[in-house]
Amino acid sequence: MDNWIGIIGTLLGGVIGAGTTYFTANAHARRQMKWESVKLTQSKLEELAQVLDEFAHRYRDISGQALMQVQFGERIASDGQRIPHSRLAMLVHFYAPELRPDLELLMTLVEKYGEVLAEVIQSAELNTPQKQNLNVRLLTGATAIEKKCEEMSRKAAEVATAHIERLTAEKPLNRKCCLSAIITFAKDTFSHKHR
Protein backbone atom coordinates (compact mmCIF):
# COMPACT_ATOMS: atom_id res chain seq x y z
CA MET A 1 0.00 0.00 0.00
CA ASP A 2 2.86 2.37 0.81
CA ASN A 3 4.19 1.88 -2.71
CA TRP A 4 0.89 3.07 -4.15
CA ILE A 5 0.88 6.20 -2.02
CA GLY A 6 4.25 7.24 -3.49
CA ILE A 7 3.08 6.53 -7.04
CA ILE A 8 -0.24 8.33 -6.52
CA GLY A 9 1.56 11.27 -4.89
CA THR A 10 3.95 11.53 -7.82
CA LEU A 11 1.13 11.34 -10.35
CA LEU A 12 -0.93 13.83 -8.38
CA GLY A 13 2.05 16.21 -8.19
CA GLY A 14 2.44 15.93 -11.96
CA VAL A 15 -1.25 16.66 -12.52
CA ILE A 16 -1.10 19.66 -10.17
CA GLY A 17 2.01 20.99 -11.89
CA ALA A 18 0.53 20.47 -15.36
CA GLY A 19 -2.75 22.11 -14.31
CA THR A 20 -0.98 25.12 -12.83
CA THR A 21 1.19 25.47 -15.94
CA TYR A 22 -1.86 25.21 -18.20
CA PHE A 23 -3.84 27.85 -16.34
CA THR A 24 -0.89 30.23 -16.14
CA ALA A 25 0.10 29.79 -19.80
CA ASN A 26 -3.51 30.14 -20.96
CA ALA A 27 -4.00 33.35 -18.98
CA HIS A 28 -0.71 34.74 -20.28
CA ALA A 29 -1.62 33.86 -23.89
CA ARG A 30 -5.02 35.58 -23.58
CA ARG A 31 -3.44 38.67 -22.09
CA GLN A 32 -0.75 38.71 -24.80
CA MET A 33 -3.39 38.44 -27.57
CA LYS A 34 -5.32 41.36 -26.06
CA TRP A 35 -2.14 43.40 -25.81
CA GLU A 36 -1.27 42.70 -29.47
CA SER A 37 -4.79 43.75 -30.44
CA VAL A 38 -4.44 46.99 -28.49
CA LYS A 39 -1.03 47.68 -30.07
CA LEU A 40 -2.49 47.18 -33.55
CA THR A 41 -5.47 49.39 -32.79
CA GLN A 42 -3.24 52.05 -31.29
CA SER A 43 -0.94 52.08 -34.32
CA LYS A 44 -3.97 52.43 -36.60
CA LEU A 45 -5.31 55.28 -34.46
CA GLU A 46 -1.92 57.00 -34.76
CA GLU A 47 -2.19 56.51 -38.52
CA LEU A 48 -5.70 58.00 -38.35
CA ALA A 49 -4.30 61.11 -36.64
CA GLN A 50 -1.68 61.42 -39.40
CA VAL A 51 -4.31 61.02 -42.11
CA LEU A 52 -6.48 63.68 -40.47
CA ASP A 53 -3.50 66.04 -40.42
CA GLU A 54 -2.81 65.31 -44.09
CA PHE A 55 -6.51 65.78 -44.89
CA ALA A 56 -6.59 69.23 -43.22
CA HIS A 57 -3.29 70.18 -44.87
CA ARG A 58 -4.57 69.31 -48.35
CA TYR A 59 -7.67 71.46 -47.85
CA ARG A 60 -5.53 74.36 -46.58
CA ASP A 61 -3.46 74.11 -49.75
CA ILE A 62 -6.54 74.03 -51.94
CA SER A 63 -7.95 77.02 -50.08
CA GLY A 64 -4.79 79.06 -50.68
CA GLN A 65 -4.80 78.21 -54.37
CA ALA A 66 -8.50 79.01 -54.65
CA LEU A 67 -7.95 82.41 -53.03
CA MET A 68 -5.22 83.12 -55.59
CA GLN A 69 -7.61 82.19 -58.39
CA VAL A 70 -10.38 84.42 -57.04
CA GLN A 71 -8.10 87.42 -56.49
CA PHE A 72 -5.64 87.15 -59.37
CA GLY A 73 -7.19 84.71 -61.80
CA GLU A 74 -4.43 82.11 -61.30
CA ARG A 75 -5.71 78.64 -62.01
CA ILE A 76 -5.66 76.05 -59.24
CA ALA A 77 -2.65 73.85 -59.90
CA SER A 78 -2.75 70.19 -59.03
CA ASP A 79 0.34 68.72 -57.37
CA GLY A 80 -0.88 65.20 -58.11
CA GLN A 81 -1.51 64.32 -54.47
CA ARG A 82 -4.88 62.91 -53.63
CA ILE A 83 -6.95 63.83 -50.61
CA PRO A 84 -7.13 60.65 -48.47
CA HIS A 85 -10.94 60.39 -48.25
CA SER A 86 -11.15 56.59 -48.58
CA ARG A 87 -8.19 55.93 -46.27
CA LEU A 88 -9.74 58.18 -43.63
CA ALA A 89 -13.11 56.43 -43.94
CA MET A 90 -11.49 52.97 -43.73
CA LEU A 91 -9.52 53.82 -40.59
CA VAL A 92 -12.56 55.29 -38.86
CA HIS A 93 -14.86 52.41 -39.77
CA PHE A 94 -12.37 49.67 -38.84
CA TYR A 95 -10.55 51.09 -35.82
CA ALA A 96 -12.55 54.02 -34.42
CA PRO A 97 -16.26 53.45 -35.04
CA GLU A 98 -16.92 55.92 -32.23
CA LEU A 99 -15.87 58.62 -34.72
CA ARG A 100 -18.39 57.73 -37.44
CA PRO A 101 -20.73 60.65 -36.61
CA ASP A 102 -17.72 62.99 -36.75
CA LEU A 103 -16.68 61.52 -40.10
CA GLU A 104 -20.18 62.10 -41.48
CA LEU A 105 -20.06 65.72 -40.31
CA LEU A 106 -16.59 66.15 -41.83
CA MET A 107 -17.81 64.78 -45.16
CA THR A 108 -20.76 67.21 -45.05
CA LEU A 109 -18.28 70.08 -44.51
CA VAL A 110 -16.19 68.80 -47.42
CA GLU A 111 -19.26 68.63 -49.65
CA LYS A 112 -20.24 72.21 -48.80
CA TYR A 113 -16.66 73.32 -49.40
CA GLY A 114 -16.75 71.61 -52.79
CA GLU A 115 -19.75 73.73 -53.71
CA VAL A 116 -17.80 76.88 -52.85
CA LEU A 117 -14.84 75.62 -54.91
CA ALA A 118 -17.19 75.17 -57.87
CA GLU A 119 -17.99 78.88 -57.64
CA VAL A 120 -14.26 79.68 -57.75
CA ILE A 121 -14.14 78.43 -61.34
CA GLN A 122 -16.55 81.19 -62.38
CA SER A 123 -14.97 83.84 -60.15
CA ALA A 124 -13.53 85.87 -63.04
CA GLU A 125 -17.01 87.21 -63.73
CA LEU A 126 -17.58 88.37 -60.14
CA ASN A 127 -17.29 91.93 -58.90
CA THR A 128 -15.11 92.87 -55.90
CA PRO A 129 -17.74 92.44 -53.13
CA GLN A 130 -18.75 89.07 -54.58
CA LYS A 131 -15.09 87.98 -54.68
CA GLN A 132 -14.63 89.08 -51.07
CA ASN A 133 -17.73 87.10 -50.07
CA LEU A 134 -16.37 84.05 -51.90
CA ASN A 135 -12.99 84.45 -50.17
CA VAL A 136 -14.68 84.56 -46.76
CA ARG A 137 -16.64 81.40 -47.59
CA LEU A 138 -13.45 79.67 -48.78
CA LEU A 139 -11.62 80.52 -45.57
CA THR A 140 -14.61 79.63 -43.39
CA GLY A 141 -15.01 76.26 -45.09
CA ALA A 142 -11.32 75.37 -44.90
CA THR A 143 -11.18 76.44 -41.24
CA ALA A 144 -14.24 74.33 -40.40
CA ILE A 145 -12.64 71.28 -42.06
CA GLU A 146 -9.37 71.87 -40.22
CA LYS A 147 -11.08 72.27 -36.83
CA LYS A 148 -13.13 69.11 -37.38
CA CYS A 149 -9.96 67.18 -38.28
CA GLU A 150 -8.24 68.45 -35.10
CA GLU A 151 -11.28 67.46 -33.01
CA MET A 152 -11.34 63.98 -34.56
CA SER A 153 -7.62 63.61 -33.92
CA ARG A 154 -8.15 64.43 -30.23
CA LYS A 155 -10.99 61.93 -30.06
CA ALA A 156 -8.80 59.27 -31.71
CA ALA A 157 -6.22 59.86 -28.95
CA GLU A 158 -8.97 59.45 -26.34
CA VAL A 159 -10.04 56.16 -27.95
CA ALA A 160 -6.43 54.92 -27.89
CA THR A 161 -6.10 55.89 -24.23
CA ALA A 162 -9.35 54.12 -23.38
CA HIS A 163 -8.11 50.92 -25.09
CA ILE A 164 -4.94 50.96 -22.99
CA GLU A 165 -6.83 51.73 -19.78
CA ARG A 166 -9.17 48.80 -20.39
CA LEU A 167 -6.24 46.46 -20.81
CA THR A 168 -4.37 47.69 -17.74
CA ALA A 169 -7.54 47.62 -15.63
CA GLU A 170 -7.88 43.86 -16.08
CA LYS A 171 -6.86 41.88 -13.04
CA PRO A 172 -4.12 39.35 -13.65
CA LEU A 173 -4.78 35.72 -12.90
CA ASN A 174 -4.44 35.06 -9.19
CA ARG A 175 -2.00 32.15 -9.20
CA LYS A 176 -2.26 31.56 -5.48
CA CYS A 177 -6.03 31.14 -5.75
CA CYS A 178 -5.67 28.72 -8.70
CA LEU A 179 -3.01 26.71 -6.96
CA SER A 180 -5.02 26.43 -3.75
CA ALA A 181 -8.10 25.29 -5.72
CA ILE A 182 -6.03 22.57 -7.44
CA ILE A 183 -4.50 21.44 -4.14
CA THR A 184 -7.91 21.33 -2.44
CA PHE A 185 -9.30 19.31 -5.33
CA ALA A 186 -6.34 16.90 -5.16
CA LYS A 187 -6.67 16.49 -1.39
CA ASP A 188 -10.39 15.79 -1.67
CA THR A 189 -9.84 13.30 -4.45
CA PHE A 190 -6.97 11.56 -2.69
CA SER A 191 -8.74 11.40 0.69
CA HIS A 192 -11.91 9.92 -0.85
CA LYS A 193 -9.96 7.10 -2.50
CA HIS A 194 -8.38 5.99 0.78
CA ARG A 195 -11.51 5.96 2.95
Side-chain angles (χ1 to χ4, degrees), residues 137-169:
R137 290 173 42 220
L138 278 168
L139 290 173
T140 303
T143 301
I145 289 171
E146 187 173 358
K147 285 183 179 181
K148 191 61 183 172
C149 287
E150 289 171 359
E151 178 187 339
M152 288 178 70
S153 189
R154 277 193 306 276
K155 287 183 178 181
E158 291 170 6
V159 169
T161 302
H163 281 281
I164 291 173
E165 286 175 353
R166 268 184 265 150
L167 179 70
T168 57

Side-chain angles (χ1 to χ4, degrees), residues 27-39 167:
H28 178 70
R30 278 186 279 135
R31 187 162 177 81
Q32 188 66 28
M33 285 185 346
K34 286 180 183 178
W35 181 246
E36 291 298 325
S37 173
V38 166
K39 282 180 18 183
L167 179 70

Side-chain angles (χ1 to χ4, degrees), residues 101-120:
D102 294 295
L103 178 64
E104 289 174 12
L105 181 56
L106 178 62
M107 290 303 126
T108 301
L109 292 171
V110 166
E111 186 178 317
K112 288 179 183 177
Y113 189 73
E115 293 169 3
V116 175
L117 283 176
E119 292 179 39
V120 169

Side-chain angles (χ1 to χ4, degrees), residues 40-84:
L40 173 67
T41 302
Q42 190 166 14
S43 73
K44 292 300 181 181
L45 291 172
E46 288 174 14
E47 183 180 346
L48 174 61
Q50 291 170 349
V51 168
L52 285 163
D53 184 58
E54 180 183 343
F55 196 89
H57 179 77
R58 295 290 301 135
Y59 276 98
R60 267 193 311 270
D61 286 350
I62 291 170
S63 181
Q65 291 179 20
L67 287 169
M68 294 298 286
Q69 181 168 341
V70 170
Q71 286 305 117
F72 305 110
E74 295 180 20
R75 302 208 29 91
I76 297 175
S78 173
D79 58 4
Q81 294 182 354
R82 294 174 42 134
I83 300 172

Side-chain angles (χ1 to χ4, degrees), residues 2-16 190 194:
D2 288 334
N3 292 340
W4 285 103
I5 291 176
I7 293 171
I8 292 173
T10 302
L11 290 174
L12 196 56
V15 168
I16 291 171
F190 184 69
H194 293 291

